[in-house]
Amino acid sequence: MKRKLVLLNFALAVVVAALGWRLRQEWVGARDRESMELLQTRKLSRSLAPPPVMPTVNPVTPSSYIDVAAKMLFSRDRNPTVVIEVPKPPPEPPVPPMPVAMGVMLWTDPPSVIMSEKAGGPQKVYRPGDMVGAFKLVSVDNQKVVLEWHGKTIEKSLDELMAKNAVTTETAGPSAPAAAAPVNGVTSLGGPTSIAGVAAGPGVDMGGGARACIAGDKSAPGTTADGYKKVENMTPFGSSCHWEAVK
């Protein structure tokens, strides 16, 4: 009986020794494999390039979606941009017919002009600042007349305005009043007489007790007619003619 126990103990010791040796072999093998894998991993990590840097992602903000809300195709009334249609300005009215000039008076301060609002209309002396129909007289000299209409400045030569008056007189017939024309290129003339060279009396009233000379008046200075005396003066621009009331 004792012999069997000894044999059994010996067999168990052999088994335990065999298992211990086998376990050690497995442990050594596992350690060698781990060492080889670590070595290969180090070699591989040295040969590979570093991974690319990932782009930075900005945080999402509500303002980045404002176009989605403001320009929604299915609800265009959500567009915050209000388009205000500005009405077109009314068309500018056409320029009315230009007034007709009879002549200028350079001895007044400032110079004035004898004009009518339209061809065949009554004659009147106008000074800068006066309204000639729809026009405002700005200035006048022996060459041009400056008018203002709707804030715009219109400059016309005196010859152009007086030529218009001359054409109107020629087409009016022999019984029409004479067209005003400058004497010696300066003085305003006009009146109810014909342009036949016949001596005539005072013309249109210029104010201040003076009247203009009539075109074709060949009477000498100092001539009196209808209570007026003819006066001729020399100016830097030439000879001027008018009639003064006899006192």
Side-chain angles (χ1 to χ4, degrees):
M1 185 67 182
K2 186 181 292 185
R3 183 181 178 84
K4 291 182 178 180
L5 290 175
V6 171
L7 293 174
L8 180 60
N9 290 334
F10 178 75
L12 290 174
V14 172
V15 171
V16 171
L19 290 176
W21 177 82
R22 181 65 181 174
L23 183 61
R24 186 177 182 284
Q25 291 295 325
E26 291 292 338
W27 175 77
V28 171
R31 187 185 62 181
D32 293 341
R33 289 193 300 271
E34 183 179 1
S35 299
M36 293 297 295
E37 290 180 359
L38 290 177
L39 182 60
Q40 292 179 357
T41 302
R42 290 177 183 177
K43 292 181 178 180
L44 183 62
S45 62
R46 292 177 182 177
S47 61
L48 294 177
V53 180
M54 297 297 294
T56 303
V57 179
N58 296 327
V60 178
T61 57
S63 60
S64 60
Y65 293 93
I66 189 170
D67 288 344
V68 178
K71 299 180 181 180
M72 187 176 182
L73 297 178
F74 302 101
S75 182
R76 297 187 178 182
D77 57 344
R78 297 179 64 178
N79 192 343
T81 303
V82 180
V83 179
I84 302 177
E85 296 183 358
V86 180
K88 296 182 179 180
E92 186 175 330
V95 180
M98 301 299 297
V100 179
M102 307 299 173
V104 295
M105 297 181 294
L106 298 176
W107 64 86
T108 60
D109 187 21
S112 54
V113 60
I114 302 174
M115 305 183 75
S116 59
E117 296 182 7
K118 58 182 179 178
Q123 303 174 11
K124 183 181 176 182
V125 178
Y126 294 92
R127 294 174 176 81
D130 294 343
M131 296 298 298
V132 188
F135 300 91
K136 179 181 179 181
L137 180 62
V138 179
S139 64
V140 61
D141 55 27
N142 64 329
Q143 294 182 353
K144 64 181 182 296
V145 177
V146 181
L147 303 170
E148 181 181 337
W149 177 77
H150 281 213
K152 295 183 177 180
T153 302
I154 302 176
E155 184 176 315
K156 293 287 184 179
S157 64
L158 186 62
D159 293 338
E160 182 180 356
L161 297 179
M162 294 183 71
K164 179 180 178 182
N165 176 57
V167 172
T168 305
T169 305
E170 291 177 2
T171 58
S175 61
V183 174
N184 296 330
V186 176
T187 309
S188 168
L189 304 177
T193 60
S194 63
I195 313 176
V198 180
V204 64
D205 186 7
M206 300 185 302
R211 288 181 176 271
C213 293
I214 296 177
D217 186 353
K218 303 299 183 180
S219 59
T223 303
T224 59
D226 299 333
Y228 287 86
K229 182 178 66 174
K230 185 176 181 181
V231 178
E232 288 189 3
N233 297 320
M234 293 300 298
T235 69
F237 303 97
S239 176
S240 65
C241 173
H242 67 281
W243 291 76
E244 292 182 354
V246 178
K247 298 181 180 179

